[in-house]
Amino acid sequence: MRTLDVPHRTPTLSAYDSHLLGGAGLPLAESARADRQTLVNGVFDHYEVSLACESRVLRHLMKMCLANRQLLERQSVGFSNRTLGLRLPSVGTSERDQVRGALENLDLLIASGGEFFRGALVFPLKNDQGDVVEAYGQRLTPRLRQGTPYQAYWSLKSGRFFNHDALSCAEEIVLCENPFQAFCLLCHGVSGAVAPVGRWGFNDGQLDALERARPNRVVLAWEDSADAQRAARLVCQAVSAIDVPVWHYALNEPSVSRMPPPPITAEVANRILMEAVPIGPEASTVWGGLWQ
């Protein structure tokens, strides 16, 4: 099995981590940042390949009407099946220790050696150069071990939206709170569905992109929970400030504890578009007095 291509680093390239150096295939004049990004991209490439080989996961996605191969490939969706270690250099070598240390510093491996995204569908967010800089993980297994979250958030630096290219062609944008929700909508034909890495991941670059795109409206499709609505309020205020009309549809929270959030169905996708309500200073009663 091919190993991750990570350049050897020298003490002169220690901007990111003094005991790790980057890799094979990159000249020593390259920066540590480039070395780090090469490793990150390799990890998410591995997750994408892993999903294509996981028939059990693909069958589960098919049951949820989310097994659209074309969309999975276009959005580089992956799956962490705990095989990342098989792509590391040989056991007992200094190269393996270097790569493992780099992955731990990047928070892609946890201190115990396990993968941060273990058992999760992985949705990468990229920058303008196509490098993965943020990612969202969604676990779908019912009743996970106590303490294991269903959502995993990872960020190297602020990225673009998930499905960012939709801004260039969709007149109506549905802004979800995470990429899993946006992917559900894409599978149900809502081509303008985008998302930050999570409800608190909306950033200035994404706001600037919305301002340049100037869609006819932005529909916020967020959970009907206190924390989600606090975050939605800030996003709504930011988008309204660039004179883009904002509408809102509240998604119901899962009713069963210790269960993964249900996927958005085709019926709900249709209701988001048809039943969303406009939000603005004149609609202060919406969300319990959002604008008061």
Side-chain angles (χ1 to χ4, degrees), residues 73-150:
E73 293 177 4
R74 184 189 307 163
Q75 301 300 333
S76 303
V77 179
F79 181 71
S80 174
N81 60 358
R82 299 177 174 86
T83 61
L84 182 60
L86 299 177
R87 292 192 60 196
L88 300 183
S90 302
V91 175
T93 63
S94 60
E95 289 81 6
R96 183 182 181 89
D97 292 339
Q98 289 173 353
V99 175
R100 285 190 64 86
L103 292 174
E104 287 186 20
N105 276 275
L106 288 163
D107 293 325
L108 290 170
L109 288 182
I110 58 178
S112 64
E115 298 177 35
F116 175 72
F117 285 111
R118 64 197 180 282
L121 281 176
V122 181
F123 300 85
L125 283 72
K126 302 179 181 182
N127 60 15
D128 292 337
Q129 290 72 47
D131 294 322
V132 178
V133 292
E134 291 186 296
Y136 172 83
Q138 178 67 66
R139 296 183 174 93
L140 302 175
T141 303
R143 294 182 174 85
L144 293 173
R145 185 174 60 184
Q146 187 69 31
T148 302
Y150 280 101

Side-chain angles (χ1 to χ4, degrees), residues 223-262:
E223 284 185 4
D224 189 15
S225 65
D227 185 68
Q229 294 307 298
R230 282 195 296 269
R233 172 179 178 172
L234 297 177
V235 173
C236 178
Q237 290 172 335
V239 177
S240 294
I242 60 173
D243 295 325
V244 172
V246 184
W247 295 53
H248 177 258
Y249 181 89
L251 297 170
N252 293 328
E253 291 184 281
S255 58
V256 181
S257 61
R258 299 300 302 152
M259 294 288 283

Side-chain angles (χ1 to χ4, degrees), residues 136-206:
Y136 172 83
Q138 178 67 66
R139 296 183 174 93
L140 302 175
T141 303
R143 294 182 174 85
L144 293 173
R145 185 174 60 184
Q146 187 69 31
T148 302
Y150 280 101
Q151 293 84 19
Y153 309 90
W154 177 86
S155 181
L156 189 62
K157 58 182 179 179
S158 296
R160 307 191 306 169
F161 284 119
F162 175 79
N163 192 35
H164 190 91
D165 291 343
L167 298 182
S168 63
C169 56
E171 296 182 354
E172 181 176 66
I173 296 297
V174 179
L175 178 53
C176 303
E177 62 178 277
N178 64 60
F180 177 67
Q181 294 174 342
F183 184 75
C184 291
L185 293 182
L186 288 175
C187 289
H188 298 314
V190 184
S191 60
V194 303
V197 73
R199 65 180 55 153
W200 295 103
F202 188 79
N203 60 59
D204 290 340
Q206 293 165 354

